[in-house]
Amino acid sequence: MRTVEKIMASLPNLSTDELQDIEQAIHDLYRVRRERIIYDDNYGIWTEQDQNSVAVEVFELLDKAES
């Protein structure tokens, strides 16, 4: 099993505090790597990838509404 798969498989077994610690560590890594961050505040970050995935979801909803 790949490392990413192992990590993903272990996430459901973690406490909320542990998940929040991991989320914070990931946000910190994005900041250090200067990833394409659109929005960054105390609540978290919003990346270009987040923006694109939400846009896809919205367009899918609009397409369903038009059908």
Side-chain angles (χ1 to χ4, degrees):
M1 189 182 290
R2 293 182 22 226
T3 303
V4 173
E5 291 168 340
K6 290 178 184 177
I7 293 168
M8 296 290 287
S10 69
L11 292 177
N13 300 320
L14 299 177
S15 70
T16 299
D17 287 341
E18 290 169 323
L19 289 172
Q20 289 171 342
D21 289 343
I22 290 170
E23 183 178 18
Q24 184 61 53
I26 291 170
H27 288 175
D28 292 344
L29 283 171
Y30 282 144
R31 290 178 183 119
V32 167
R33 293 178 180 185
R34 301 195 188 285
E35 290 294 324
R36 294 180 177 139
I37 298 173
I38 295 172
Y39 191 76
D40 185 358
D41 68 4
N42 290 336
Y43 297 104
I45 59 172
W46 187 259
T47 65
E48 187 176 297
Q49 183 178 352
D50 295 326
Q51 186 72 26
N52 292 338
S53 66
V54 168
V56 167
E57 289 181 34
V58 168
F59 286 122
E60 286 175 354
L61 288 172
L62 291 173
D63 288 343
K64 285 180 184 177
E66 289 178 355
S67 298

Short mmCIF file of all heavy atoms in Angstrom, two decimals:
data_model
loop_
_atom_site.label_atom_id
_atom_site.label_comp_id
_atom_site.label_asym_id
_atom_site.label_seq_id
_atom_site.Cartn_x
_atom_site.Cartn_y
_atom_site.Cartn_z
N MET A 1 0.85 -1.18 0.00
CA MET A 1 0.00 0.00 0.00
C MET A 1 0.90 1.24 0.00
O MET A 1 1.86 1.32 0.73
CB MET A 1 -0.90 -0.03 1.24
CG MET A 1 -1.97 1.04 1.23
SD MET A 1 -3.02 1.08 2.71
CE MET A 1 -3.97 -0.40 2.53
N ARG A 2 0.53 2.21 -0.81
CA ARG A 2 1.28 3.46 -0.88
C ARG A 2 1.09 4.27 0.40
O ARG A 2 0.12 4.10 1.12
CB ARG A 2 0.80 4.29 -2.07
CG ARG A 2 1.13 3.67 -3.40
CD ARG A 2 0.69 4.52 -4.59
NE ARG A 2 0.51 5.91 -4.29
CZ ARG A 2 -0.56 6.62 -4.68
NH1 ARG A 2 -1.51 6.06 -5.37
NH2 ARG A 2 -0.65 7.90 -4.39
N THR A 3 2.01 5.17 0.66
CA THR A 3 1.96 6.00 1.86
C THR A 3 0.67 6.81 1.92
O THR A 3 0.03 6.89 2.96
CB THR A 3 3.18 6.95 1.91
OG1 THR A 3 4.36 6.17 1.86
CG2 THR A 3 3.17 7.79 3.15
N VAL A 4 0.28 7.42 0.81
CA VAL A 4 -0.94 8.22 0.78
C VAL A 4 -2.16 7.36 1.12
O VAL A 4 -3.04 7.77 1.87
CB VAL A 4 -1.12 8.91 -0.59
CG1 VAL A 4 -2.46 9.61 -0.68
CG2 VAL A 4 0.01 9.90 -0.83
N GLU A 5 -2.19 6.15 0.58
CA GLU A 5 -3.31 5.25 0.87
C GLU A 5 -3.34 4.88 2.35
O GLU A 5 -4.41 4.79 2.95
CB GLU A 5 -3.21 3.99 0.01
CG GLU A 5 -3.46 4.26 -1.45
CD GLU A 5 -3.09 3.10 -2.35
OE1 GLU A 5 -2.31 2.23 -1.91
OE2 GLU A 5 -3.58 3.07 -3.49
N LYS A 6 -2.18 4.67 2.94
CA LYS A 6 -2.11 4.36 4.37
C LYS A 6 -2.63 5.54 5.21
O LYS A 6 -3.37 5.34 6.17
CB LYS A 6 -0.68 4.04 4.78
CG LYS A 6 -0.16 2.73 4.26
CD LYS A 6 1.28 2.52 4.70
CE LYS A 6 1.86 1.26 4.11
NZ LYS A 6 3.28 1.09 4.46
N ILE A 7 -2.23 6.72 4.82
CA ILE A 7 -2.68 7.91 5.55
C ILE A 7 -4.19 8.06 5.42
O ILE A 7 -4.89 8.28 6.42
CB ILE A 7 -1.95 9.18 5.03
CG1 ILE A 7 -0.47 9.11 5.40
CG2 ILE A 7 -2.60 10.44 5.58
CD1 ILE A 7 0.39 10.15 4.71
N MET A 8 -4.71 7.93 4.21
CA MET A 8 -6.15 8.06 3.98
C MET A 8 -6.93 7.01 4.78
O MET A 8 -7.97 7.31 5.35
CB MET A 8 -6.47 7.94 2.50
CG MET A 8 -5.87 9.04 1.64
SD MET A 8 -6.62 10.64 1.90
CE MET A 8 -8.17 10.38 1.11
N ALA A 9 -6.41 5.80 4.83
CA ALA A 9 -7.09 4.72 5.56
C ALA A 9 -7.09 4.97 7.05
O ALA A 9 -8.01 4.53 7.75
CB ALA A 9 -6.41 3.39 5.24
N SER A 10 -6.09 5.67 7.56
CA SER A 10 -6.01 5.89 9.01
C SER A 10 -6.83 7.10 9.48
O SER A 10 -7.15 7.20 10.67
CB SER A 10 -4.56 6.07 9.43
OG SER A 10 -4.03 7.28 8.93
N LEU A 11 -7.21 7.99 8.58
CA LEU A 11 -7.91 9.22 8.98
C LEU A 11 -9.22 8.97 9.74
O LEU A 11 -9.47 9.65 10.75
CB LEU A 11 -8.17 10.10 7.76
CG LEU A 11 -6.93 10.72 7.12
CD1 LEU A 11 -7.32 11.51 5.87
CD2 LEU A 11 -6.18 11.59 8.09
N PRO A 12 -10.07 8.04 9.34
CA PRO A 12 -11.32 7.83 10.08
C PRO A 12 -11.11 7.40 11.53
O PRO A 12 -12.00 7.58 12.37
CB PRO A 12 -12.03 6.72 9.29
CG PRO A 12 -11.47 6.80 7.92
CD PRO A 12 -10.04 7.22 8.12
N ASN A 13 -9.94 6.88 11.84
CA ASN A 13 -9.68 6.41 13.20
C ASN A 13 -9.13 7.49 14.11
O ASN A 13 -8.96 7.27 15.31
CB ASN A 13 -8.68 5.24 13.16
CG ASN A 13 -9.21 4.08 12.35
OD1 ASN A 13 -10.38 3.76 12.41
ND2 ASN A 13 -8.35 3.48 11.56
N LEU A 14 -8.87 8.67 13.57
CA LEU A 14 -8.29 9.75 14.36
C LEU A 14 -9.38 10.57 15.05
O LEU A 14 -10.50 10.69 14.56
CB LEU A 14 -7.45 10.67 13.46
CG LEU A 14 -6.26 10.03 12.77
CD1 LEU A 14 -5.59 11.02 11.86
CD2 LEU A 14 -5.28 9.46 13.78
N SER A 15 -9.01 11.17 16.16
CA SER A 15 -9.94 12.05 16.87
C SER A 15 -10.06 13.37 16.12
O SER A 15 -9.24 13.69 15.24
CB SER A 15 -9.44 12.32 18.29
OG SER A 15 -8.27 13.13 18.24
N THR A 16 -11.04 14.15 16.47
CA THR A 16 -11.22 15.46 15.85
C THR A 16 -10.00 16.33 16.11
O THR A 16 -9.53 17.04 15.21
CB THR A 16 -12.49 16.14 16.38
OG1 THR A 16 -13.61 15.31 16.05
CG2 THR A 16 -12.69 17.51 15.78
N ASP A 17 -9.47 16.30 17.33
CA ASP A 17 -8.27 17.09 17.64
C ASP A 17 -7.10 16.68 16.76
O ASP A 17 -6.36 17.54 16.26
CB ASP A 17 -7.89 16.94 19.11
CG ASP A 17 -8.83 17.69 20.04
OD1 ASP A 17 -9.55 18.61 19.57
OD2 ASP A 17 -8.85 17.35 21.23
N GLU A 18 -6.92 15.39 16.56
CA GLU A 18 -5.84 14.91 15.72
C GLU A 18 -6.03 15.34 14.27
O GLU A 18 -5.08 15.75 13.60
CB GLU A 18 -5.73 13.38 15.80
CG GLU A 18 -5.23 12.89 17.15
CD GLU A 18 -5.37 11.40 17.33
OE1 GLU A 18 -6.36 10.80 16.86
OE2 GLU A 18 -4.47 10.81 17.96
N LEU A 19 -7.26 15.28 13.78
CA LEU A 19 -7.54 15.73 12.42
C LEU A 19 -7.26 17.22 12.27
O LEU A 19 -6.70 17.67 11.25
CB LEU A 19 -8.99 15.44 12.04
CG LEU A 19 -9.34 13.97 11.83
CD1 LEU A 19 -10.85 13.81 11.66
CD2 LEU A 19 -8.60 13.39 10.64
N GLN A 20 -7.62 18.01 13.27
CA GLN A 20 -7.36 19.44 13.23
C GLN A 20 -5.86 19.73 13.24
O GLN A 20 -5.40 20.64 12.55
CB GLN A 20 -8.07 20.15 14.38
CG GLN A 20 -9.58 20.18 14.20
CD GLN A 20 -10.32 20.68 15.42
OE1 GLN A 20 -9.79 20.71 16.52
NE2 GLN A 20 -11.57 21.06 15.22
N ASP A 21 -5.10 18.95 14.00
CA ASP A 21 -3.65 19.11 14.02
C ASP A 21 -3.06 18.82 12.63
O ASP A 21 -2.17 19.54 12.16
CB ASP A 21 -3.00 18.19 15.05
CG ASP A 21 -3.28 18.62 16.48
OD1 ASP A 21 -3.70 19.77 16.70
OD2 ASP A 21 -3.08 17.77 17.39
N ILE A 22 -3.55 17.78 12.00
CA ILE A 22 -3.07 17.43 10.66
C ILE A 22 -3.45 18.52 9.66
O ILE A 22 -2.63 18.92 8.82
CB ILE A 22 -3.63 16.06 10.22
CG1 ILE A 22 -2.98 14.95 11.05
CG2 ILE A 22 -3.41 15.82 8.73
CD1 ILE A 22 -3.60 13.59 10.87
N GLU A 23 -4.67 19.00 9.76
CA GLU A 23 -5.12 20.06 8.85
C GLU A 23 -4.24 21.30 9.01
O GLU A 23 -3.83 21.91 8.02
CB GLU A 23 -6.58 20.41 9.13
CG GLU A 23 -7.13 21.45 8.19
CD GLU A 23 -8.60 21.75 8.47
OE1 GLU A 23 -9.09 21.42 9.56
OE2 GLU A 23 -9.25 22.31 7.58
N GLN A 24 -3.92 21.66 10.25
CA GLN A 24 -3.07 22.83 10.49
C GLN A 24 -1.68 22.61 9.90
O GLN A 24 -1.10 23.51 9.29
CB GLN A 24 -2.96 23.12 11.98
CG GLN A 24 -2.16 24.37 12.30
CD GLN A 24 -2.79 25.61 11.71
OE1 GLN A 24 -3.96 25.88 11.93
NE2 GLN A 24 -2.04 26.38 10.95
N ALA A 25 -1.14 21.41 10.06
CA ALA A 25 0.18 21.10 9.51
C ALA A 25 0.18 21.22 7.99
O ALA A 25 1.14 21.73 7.39
CB ALA A 25 0.62 19.71 9.94
N ILE A 26 -0.89 20.76 7.36
CA ILE A 26 -1.00 20.86 5.90
C ILE A 26 -1.10 22.32 5.47
O ILE A 26 -0.43 22.75 4.52
CB ILE A 26 -2.19 20.02 5.39
CG1 ILE A 26 -1.89 18.54 5.58
CG2 ILE A 26 -2.48 20.34 3.92
CD1 ILE A 26 -3.06 17.63 5.35
N HIS A 27 -1.90 23.10 6.17
CA HIS A 27 -2.01 24.53 5.85
C HIS A 27 -0.65 25.21 5.98
O HIS A 27 -0.26 26.02 5.14
CB HIS A 27 -3.01 25.21 6.76
CG HIS A 27 -4.42 24.84 6.48
ND1 HIS A 27 -5.48 25.27 7.25
CD2 HIS A 27 -5.00 24.07 5.52
CE1 HIS A 27 -6.61 24.80 6.79
NE2 HIS A 27 -6.34 24.06 5.73
N ASP A 28 0.08 24.87 7.04
CA ASP A 28 1.41 25.45 7.23
C ASP A 28 2.35 25.09 6.08
O ASP A 28 3.13 25.93 5.62
CB ASP A 28 2.01 25.00 8.56
CG ASP A 28 1.27 25.57 9.77
OD1 ASP A 28 0.49 26.54 9.61
OD2 ASP A 28 1.46 25.02 10.88
N LEU A 29 2.27 23.84 5.62
CA LEU A 29 3.11 23.43 4.49
C LEU A 29 2.76 24.20 3.22
O LEU A 29 3.65 24.61 2.46
CB LEU A 29 2.95 21.93 4.22
CG LEU A 29 3.70 21.01 5.18
CD1 LEU A 29 3.28 19.57 4.93
CD2 LEU A 29 5.19 21.18 5.02
N TYR A 30 1.48 24.42 2.97
CA TYR A 30 1.08 25.22 1.80
C TYR A 30 1.69 26.61 1.89
O TYR A 30 2.19 27.15 0.89
CB TYR A 30 -0.44 25.34 1.70
CG TYR A 30 -1.16 24.14 1.17
CD1 TYR A 30 -2.40 23.79 1.68
CD2 TYR A 30 -0.64 23.36 0.14
CE1 TYR A 30 -3.09 22.68 1.19
CE2 TYR A 30 -1.31 22.27 -0.35
CZ TYR A 30 -2.54 21.93 0.18
OH TYR A 30 -3.22 20.86 -0.31
N ARG A 31 1.65 27.20 3.07
CA ARG A 31 2.19 28.55 3.24
C ARG A 31 3.70 28.56 3.00
O ARG A 31 4.22 29.45 2.31
CB ARG A 31 1.87 29.07 4.63
CG ARG A 31 0.40 29.38 4.82
CD ARG A 31 0.09 29.84 6.24
NE ARG A 31 -1.33 30.06 6.38
CZ ARG A 31 -2.11 29.42 7.24
NH1 ARG A 31 -1.62 28.52 8.06
NH2 ARG A 31 -3.40 29.69 7.30
N VAL A 32 4.41 27.60 3.57
CA VAL A 32 5.86 27.52 3.41
C VAL A 32 6.23 27.32 1.94
O VAL A 32 7.19 27.92 1.44
CB VAL A 32 6.43 26.37 4.28
CG1 VAL A 32 7.87 26.06 3.91
CG2 VAL A 32 6.32 26.71 5.75
N ARG A 33 5.45 26.49 1.25
CA ARG A 33 5.73 26.20 -0.16
C ARG A 33 5.23 27.29 -1.09
O ARG A 33 5.43 27.23 -2.29
CB ARG A 33 5.09 24.87 -0.54
CG ARG A 33 5.72 23.70 0.16
CD ARG A 33 5.03 22.43 -0.20
NE ARG A 33 5.64 21.30 0.49
CZ ARG A 33 5.30 20.05 0.29
NH1 ARG A 33 4.36 19.74 -0.58
NH2 ARG A 33 5.90 19.10 0.97
N ARG A 34 4.54 28.27 -0.53
CA ARG A 34 3.98 29.38 -1.31
C ARG A 34 3.11 28.87 -2.45
O ARG A 34 3.22 29.31 -3.60
CB ARG A 34 5.07 30.29 -1.83
CG ARG A 34 5.92 30.92 -0.74
CD ARG A 34 6.73 32.07 -1.25
NE ARG A 34 7.68 32.57 -0.30
CZ ARG A 34 7.38 33.32 0.75
NH1 ARG A 34 6.15 33.63 1.01
NH2 ARG A 34 8.34 33.75 1.55
N GLU A 35 2.26 27.91 -2.12
CA GLU A 35 1.32 27.39 -3.10
C GLU A 35 0.36 28.51 -3.50
O GLU A 35 0.28 29.53 -2.84
CB GLU A 35 0.53 26.20 -2.52
CG GLU A 35 1.35 24.97 -2.33
CD GLU A 35 1.84 24.35 -3.63
OE1 GLU A 35 1.10 24.39 -4.62
OE2 GLU A 35 2.97 23.84 -3.62
N ARG A 36 -0.35 28.29 -4.57
CA ARG A 36 -1.28 29.32 -5.07
C ARG A 36 -2.45 29.46 -4.11
O ARG A 36 -3.50 28.84 -4.28
CB ARG A 36 -1.76 28.94 -6.45
CG ARG A 36 -0.65 28.97 -7.46
CD ARG A 36 -1.18 28.60 -8.82
NE ARG A 36 -0.10 28.70 -9.78
CZ ARG A 36 0.09 27.83 -10.75
NH1 ARG A 36 -0.74 26.83 -10.90
NH2 ARG A 36 1.09 27.97 -11.57
N ILE A 37 -2.26 30.30 -3.12
CA ILE A 37 -3.27 30.52 -2.11
C ILE A 37 -4.04 31.79 -2.46
O ILE A 37 -3.46 32.86 -2.62
CB ILE A 37 -2.65 30.63 -0.70
CG1 ILE A 37 -1.95 29.32 -0.35
CG2 ILE A 37 -3.70 31.01 0.33
CD1 ILE A 37 -1.16 29.37 0.93
N ILE A 38 -5.36 31.65 -2.57
CA ILE A 38 -6.21 32.78 -2.90
C ILE A 38 -6.59 33.53 -1.64
O ILE A 38 -6.65 34.75 -1.61
CB ILE A 38 -7.48 32.29 -3.65
CG1 ILE A 38 -7.07 31.68 -4.99
CG2 ILE A 38 -8.49 33.43 -3.82
CD1 ILE A 38 -8.20 31.00 -5.73
N TYR A 39 -6.84 32.77 -0.57
CA TYR A 39 -7.31 33.37 0.68
C TYR A 39 -6.62 32.66 1.83
O TYR A 39 -6.51 31.44 1.84
CB TYR A 39 -8.83 33.20 0.78
CG TYR A 39 -9.47 33.99 1.87
CD1 TYR A 39 -9.65 35.35 1.76
CD2 TYR A 39 -9.88 33.36 3.04
CE1 TYR A 39 -10.24 36.08 2.77
CE2 TYR A 39 -10.47 34.09 4.06
CZ TYR A 39 -10.65 35.44 3.92
OH TYR A 39 -11.22 36.15 4.92
N ASP A 40 -6.14 33.40 2.81
CA ASP A 40 -5.41 32.82 3.93
C ASP A 40 -5.73 33.64 5.18
O ASP A 40 -5.43 34.82 5.24
CB ASP A 40 -3.91 32.86 3.62
CG ASP A 40 -3.05 32.18 4.65
OD1 ASP A 40 -3.59 31.69 5.67
OD2 ASP A 40 -1.83 32.13 4.46
N ASP A 41 -6.38 32.99 6.15
CA ASP A 41 -6.67 33.67 7.41
C ASP A 41 -6.63 32.67 8.56
O ASP A 41 -6.19 31.54 8.39
CB ASP A 41 -8.00 34.41 7.35
CG ASP A 41 -9.21 33.50 7.26
OD1 ASP A 41 -9.05 32.27 7.32
OD2 ASP A 41 -10.32 34.02 7.13
N ASN A 42 -7.12 33.08 9.72
CA ASN A 42 -7.09 32.21 10.89
C ASN A 42 -7.94 30.96 10.73
O ASN A 42 -7.72 29.96 11.42
CB ASN A 42 -7.56 32.97 12.13
CG ASN A 42 -6.56 34.02 12.55
OD1 ASN A 42 -5.38 33.91 12.25
ND2 ASN A 42 -7.03 35.04 13.24
N TYR A 43 -8.91 31.00 9.86
CA TYR A 43 -9.80 29.85 9.66
C TYR A 43 -9.21 28.81 8.72
O TYR A 43 -9.66 27.69 8.67
CB TYR A 43 -11.16 30.30 9.14
CG TYR A 43 -11.89 31.18 10.12
CD1 TYR A 43 -11.97 32.54 9.92
CD2 TYR A 43 -12.46 30.65 11.27
CE1 TYR A 43 -12.62 33.36 10.84
CE2 TYR A 43 -13.11 31.45 12.19
CZ TYR A 43 -13.18 32.81 11.96
OH TYR A 43 -13.82 33.61 12.87
N GLY A 44 -8.23 29.21 7.95
CA GLY A 44 -7.63 28.28 7.01
C GLY A 44 -7.24 28.97 5.72
O GLY A 44 -7.13 30.19 5.66
N ILE A 45 -7.06 28.16 4.70
CA ILE A 45 -6.64 28.70 3.41
C ILE A 45 -7.63 28.29 2.34
O ILE A 45 -8.41 27.35 2.51
CB ILE A 45 -5.24 28.20 3.03
CG1 ILE A 45 -5.21 26.68 2.97
CG2 ILE A 45 -4.18 28.72 3.97
CD1 ILE A 45 -3.94 26.11 2.43
N TRP A 46 -7.63 29.00 1.26
CA TRP A 46 -8.45 28.69 0.09
C TRP A 46 -7.50 28.72 -1.09
O TRP A 46 -6.94 29.76 -1.42
CB TRP A 46 -9.55 29.74 -0.06
CG TRP A 46 -10.55 29.42 -1.12
CD1 TRP A 46 -10.61 29.94 -2.38
CD2 TRP A 46 -11.63 28.49 -1.04
NE1 TRP A 46 -11.66 29.41 -3.07
CE2 TRP A 46 -12.31 28.51 -2.27
CE3 TRP A 46 -12.09 27.64 -0.04
CZ2 TRP A 46 -13.41 27.72 -2.53
CZ3 TRP A 46 -13.19 26.86 -0.30
CH2 TRP A 46 -13.85 26.91 -1.52
N THR A 47 -7.30 27.57 -1.70
CA THR A 47 -6.32 27.48 -2.79
C THR A 47 -7.00 27.57 -4.14
O THR A 47 -8.22 27.50 -4.26
CB THR A 47 -5.55 26.14 -2.71
OG1 THR A 47 -6.47 25.07 -2.95
CG2 THR A 47 -4.87 25.96 -1.37
N GLU A 48 -6.17 27.68 -5.16
CA GLU A 48 -6.67 27.69 -6.53
C GLU A 48 -7.41 26.38 -6.82
O GLU A 48 -8.43 26.36 -7.49
CB GLU A 48 -5.50 27.88 -7.48
CG GLU A 48 -5.89 28.08 -8.92
CD GLU A 48 -4.68 28.38 -9.79
OE1 GLU A 48 -4.03 29.42 -9.57
OE2 GLU A 48 -4.39 27.56 -10.67
N GLN A 49 -6.89 25.28 -6.29
CA GLN A 49 -7.53 23.98 -6.49
C GLN A 49 -8.91 23.95 -5.82
O GLN A 49 -9.87 23.42 -6.40
CB GLN A 49 -6.66 22.86 -5.91
CG GLN A 49 -7.23 21.49 -6.14
CD GLN A 49 -6.33 20.40 -5.60
OE1 GLN A 49 -5.20 20.64 -5.18
NE2 GLN A 49 -6.83 19.18 -5.60
N ASP A 50 -9.04 24.52 -4.63
CA ASP A 50 -10.35 24.61 -3.97
C ASP A 50 -11.32 25.39 -4.84
O ASP A 50 -12.47 25.00 -5.02
CB ASP A 50 -10.23 25.31 -2.61
CG ASP A 50 -9.41 24.54 -1.60
OD1 ASP A 50 -9.46 23.30 -1.62
OD2 ASP A 50 -8.73 25.19 -0.79
N GLN A 51 -10.87 26.51 -5.36
CA GLN A 51 -11.71 27.36 -6.19
C GLN A 51 -12.19 26.62 -7.42
O GLN A 51 -13.37 26.67 -7.77
CB GLN A 51 -10.92 28.62 -6.61
CG GLN A 51 -11.73 29.65 -7.34
CD GLN A 51 -12.70 30.38 -6.44
OE1 GLN A 51 -12.49 30.49 -5.25
NE2 GLN A 51 -13.77 30.89 -7.01
N ASN A 52 -11.28 25.91 -8.08
CA ASN A 52 -11.64 25.17 -9.29
C ASN A 52 -12.63 24.05 -8.99
O ASN A 52 -13.58 23.83 -9.75
CB ASN A 52 -10.40 24.61 -9.96
CG ASN A 52 -9.52 25.69 -10.55
OD1 ASN A 52 -9.98 26.79 -10.82
ND2 ASN A 52 -8.25 25.40 -10.72
N SER A 53 -12.42 23.33 -7.89
CA SER A 53 -13.32 22.21 -7.60
C SER A 53 -14.72 22.70 -7.24
O SER A 53 -15.72 22.08 -7.61
CB SER A 53 -12.75 21.32 -6.49
OG SER A 53 -12.68 22.00 -5.27
N VAL A 54 -14.82 23.82 -6.55
CA VAL A 54 -16.14 24.36 -6.23
C VAL A 54 -16.83 24.86 -7.49
O VAL A 54 -18.04 24.68 -7.66
CB VAL A 54 -16.02 25.49 -5.18
CG1 VAL A 54 -17.31 26.27 -5.05
CG2 VAL A 54 -15.63 24.92 -3.84
N ALA A 55 -16.06 25.46 -8.38
CA ALA A 55 -16.65 25.92 -9.65
C ALA A 55 -17.24 24.75 -10.43
O ALA A 55 -18.35 24.86 -10.98
CB ALA A 55 -15.60 26.65 -10.47
N VAL A 56 -16.53 23.64 -10.46
CA VAL A 56 -17.04 22.44 -11.15
C VAL A 56 -18.35 21.99 -10.52
O VAL A 56 -19.32 21.68 -11.22
CB VAL A 56 -15.99 21.30 -11.13
CG1 VAL A 56 -16.60 19.99 -11.56
CG2 VAL A 56 -14.81 21.66 -12.01
N GLU A 57 -18.41 21.96 -9.18
CA GLU A 57 -19.63 21.54 -8.49
C GLU A 57 -20.80 22.48 -8.80
O GLU A 57 -21.92 22.02 -9.02
CB GLU A 57 -19.39 21.50 -6.98
CG GLU A 57 -18.50 20.37 -6.54
CD GLU A 57 -18.30 20.33 -5.05
OE1 GLU A 57 -19.26 20.67 -4.31
OE2 GLU A 57 -17.20 19.97 -4.61
N VAL A 58 -20.54 23.77 -8.82
CA VAL A 58 -21.59 24.75 -9.11
C VAL A 58 -22.11 24.56 -10.53
O VAL A 58 -23.33 24.56 -10.76
CB VAL A 58 -21.09 26.19 -8.89
CG1 VAL A 58 -22.07 27.21 -9.46
CG2 VAL A 58 -20.85 26.44 -7.42
N PHE A 59 -21.21 24.41 -11.48
CA PHE A 59 -21.65 24.22 -12.87
C PHE A 59 -22.43 22.92 -13.03
O PHE A 59 -23.39 22.88 -13.82
CB PHE A 59 -20.47 24.28 -13.84
CG PHE A 59 -19.94 25.68 -14.04
CD1 PHE A 59 -18.62 25.99 -13.76
CD2 PHE A 59 -20.77 26.69 -14.51
CE1 PHE A 59 -18.14 27.27 -13.94
CE2 PHE A 59 -20.31 27.98 -14.69
CZ PHE A 59 -18.98 28.27 -14.41
N GLU A 60 -22.07 21.88 -12.32
CA GLU A 60 -22.82 20.63 -12.37
C GLU A 60 -24.24 20.85 -11.82
O GLU A 60 -25.21 20.36 -12.39
CB GLU A 60 -22.12 19.53 -11.57
CG GLU A 60 -20.89 18.99 -12.26
CD GLU A 60 -20.12 17.99 -11.42
OE1 GLU A 60 -20.46 17.78 -10.23
OE2 GLU A 60 -19.15 17.41 -11.95
N LEU A 61 -24.36 21.60 -10.73
CA LEU A 61 -25.69 21.91 -10.18
C LEU A 61 -26.52 22.72 -11.16
O LEU A 61 -27.72 22.49 -11.33
CB LEU A 61 -25.56 22.66 -8.86
CG LEU A 61 -25.08 21.84 -7.67
CD1 LEU A 61 -24.81 22.76 -6.47
CD2 LEU A 61 -26.10 20.79 -7.29
N LEU A 62 -25.88 23.70 -11.81
CA LEU A 62 -26.59 24.52 -12.78
C LEU A 62 -27.06 23.68 -13.96
O LEU A 62 -28.19 23.85 -14.46
CB LEU A 62 -25.71 25.67 -13.26
CG LEU A 62 -25.42 26.75 -12.22
CD1 LEU A 62 -24.39 27.73 -12.77
CD2 LEU A 62 -26.68 27.48 -11.80
N ASP A 63 -26.21 22.78 -14.42
CA ASP A 63 -26.59 21.89 -15.53
C ASP A 63 -27.77 21.03 -15.15
O ASP A 63 -28.71 20.83 -15.95
CB ASP A 63 -25.41 21.01 -15.95
CG ASP A 63 -24.33 21.78 -16.69
OD1 ASP A 63 -24.61 22.91 -17.16
OD2 ASP A 63 -23.20 21.26 -16.80
N LYS A 64 -27.79 20.49 -13.92
CA LYS A 64 -28.90 19.66 -13.46
C LYS A 64 -30.20 20.49 -13.36
O LYS A 64 -31.27 20.01 -13.70
CB LYS A 64 -28.60 19.06 -12.09
CG LYS A 64 -27.60 17.93 -12.16
CD LYS A 64 -27.32 17.36 -10.78
CE LYS A 64 -26.26 16.29 -10.84
NZ LYS A 64 -25.91 15.77 -9.50
N ALA A 65 -30.07 21.74 -12.91
CA ALA A 65 -31.24 22.60 -12.78
C ALA A 65 -31.85 22.93 -14.15
O ALA A 65 -33.06 23.08 -14.28
CB ALA A 65 -30.88 23.88 -12.04
N GLU A 66 -30.99 23.05 -15.15
CA GLU A 66 -31.47 23.36 -16.49
C GLU A 66 -32.13 22.15 -17.16
O GLU A 66 -32.91 22.33 -18.08
CB GLU A 66 -30.33 23.87 -17.36
CG GLU A 66 -29.84 25.25 -16.99
CD GLU A 66 -28.69 25.71 -17.84
OE1 GLU A 66 -28.18 24.92 -18.68
OE2 GLU A 66 -28.25 26.86 -17.68
N SER A 67 -31.80 20.97 -16.72
CA SER A 67 -32.34 19.75 -17.34
C SER A 67 -33.78 19.52 -16.98
O SER A 67 -34.32 19.85 -16.03
CB SER A 67 -31.52 18.54 -16.90
OG SER A 67 -30.19 18.69 -17.33
#
